[in-house]
Amino acid sequence: LHLCDRRQRQMCIRDSTNMLKISVGNTTLTASLTDNASAAALFEALKKSSLTIEMQDYGNFEKVGTLGFSLPRSDEYFTTEAGDLILYQGNQFVIYYDTNSWNFTRLGKIENITASELRSILGSGNVTVTLSV
């Protein structure tokens, strides 16, 4: 917060508390969290400790893995885009690298990445990711 002036303070506070880091191998991706109860609960859990998730490829458009705990759901029907972070069934963390339409809870969006770059980073098959704040 020391870099923020008074007018920007509220914005800086929000910006510092809605970011998620996703580590895949030697690559760290940055995501903005959605403003909802699900993302807030994930952020609070990650403040206590980082979380490593074993993720499997599903349908050639997403990686999915179990969080190990449940988060509140606020499902809505929408079509995903590459980089979307989704909560599925309350306890599954999903990273989309292509599109799909279903009832999901939005958690966030990976910033500044193309679908092909994300697919390359996530690779084919299973991948281990670590979430942290």
Side-chain angles (χ1 to χ4, degrees):
L1 292 177
H2 63 281
L3 298 177
C4 304
D5 67 30
R6 287 181 194 209
R7 291 172 307 208
Q8 295 175 320
R9 184 178 172 122
Q10 194 62 30
M11 179 85 137
C12 289
I13 290 170
R14 185 180 187 291
D15 287 347
S16 67
T17 60
N18 75 342
M19 301 305 291
L20 173 70
K21 293 179 186 170
I22 303 168
S23 298
V24 183
N26 294 325
T27 303
T28 299
L29 305 169
T30 303
S32 296
L33 291 172
T34 303
D35 186 11
N36 66 25
S38 307
L42 178 62
F43 184 84
E44 288 303 312
L46 294 175
K47 280 184 7 184
K48 296 174 185 161
S49 71
S50 61
L51 176 65
T52 299
I53 304 173
E54 299 298 324
M55 303 185 81
Q56 294 78 40
D57 197 75
Y58 181 81
N60 221 13
F61 53 81
E62 69 183 16
K63 298 289 186 183
V64 61
T66 302
L67 286 170
F69 53 88
S70 293
L71 295 173
R73 294 168 62 173
S74 55
D75 292 346
E76 59 180 299
Y77 187 85
F78 65 96
T79 300
T80 62
E81 299 176 349
D84 281 344
L85 305 177
I86 303 296
L87 175 67
Y88 179 65
Q89 295 186 340
N91 64 357
Q92 303 290 312
F93 183 79
V94 185
I95 301 173
Y96 275 87
Y97 55 86
D98 209 335
T99 60
N100 185 33
S101 297
W102 199 256
N103 287 310
F104 308 109
T105 298
R106 296 176 194 263
L107 290 175
K109 179 87 170 180
I110 297 172
E111 300 179 335
N112 304 316
I113 196 159
T114 66
S116 61
E117 289 169 336
L118 186 56
R119 189 181 296 255
S120 175
I121 291 166
L122 294 173
S124 60
N126 298 348
V127 66
T128 301
V129 303
T130 300
L131 308 179
S132 61
V133 294

